Every structure is written in structure tokens, then in C-alpha cells.
Amino acid sequence: MGVSLFAESIAAHSVILQVAVFGLLGVVAILGLIAVVTPKHFARIADRGSQWVDTSRFLQRLDEPVNLDRHVLRYSRFFGIAVLLSAVFLCWVFLHYIVS
């Protein structure tokens, strides 16, 4: 029973991957058709797509350190229990669905 659920999950992911790949190929084909039929429109699309996006401010905010020690140390028992329960649950899922 566990193997069939795993196989169904892989099949569902395979279908999603196929849809994504064929969707991307469709977009590329449409862009190729636009390039052949109307080069001016394709040049406009290429200009729009090649605009520079400045991410320095956003990335600078991500580089700032976040001090979590105060919160983790205050609730260390809660976080410890959460980590232990998560590990036990993941072991149970692995043994129940993947191994058997």
C-alpha cells in the first residue's frame, strides 16, 4: 500500500513536470513565431525582457543578521519538543510509507 502511494506521487509529479516543460516549449514556439512574422514586435519584447532589475536593496535586507537566540533560548523546551516530534514523525513516515 505504501509503495503505491509513493508511485502515485511520483506519477503526479511527472505529469506536473511534463505540463511545465510543454508549457515552456509552447511559449518558446510562440516567441519564435513572433520573431519570424513580426520582427519589430519581437524586438520590443526582447527590449522589455532585457531590462535590468535592481535587487540590491532587497538583497541587502536579506543579508542583515537576525538574532533568534533570545527567542530560542526563552522557549528552548518548546523548540526541543517540536524538533523531537518532527524527527519521530519523519521516521514514522519513512518507515510506514517508503520502506514497507
Side-chain angles (χ1 to χ4, degrees), residues 29-91:
I30 290 170
L31 287 173
L33 184 64
I34 291 171
V36 170
V37 176
T38 57
K40 287 184 182 181
H41 289 278
F42 182 73
R44 236 184 289 155
I45 292 171
D47 287 339
R48 178 84 171 154
S50 66
Q51 289 180 350
W52 180 259
V53 178
D54 185 22
T55 59
S56 61
R57 273 193 249 151
F58 176 73
L59 293 177
Q60 186 178 19
R61 290 182 63 202
L62 291 177
D63 282 339
E64 294 175 2
V66 178
N67 187 6
L68 293 176
D69 289 343
R70 178 179 57 151
H71 302 292
V72 172
L73 292 176
R74 181 182 294 169
Y75 300 106
S76 63
R77 286 194 175 114
F78 172 75
F79 284 114
I81 290 170
V83 168
L84 286 173
L85 289 176
S86 299
V88 168
F89 176 73
L90 290 174
C91 286

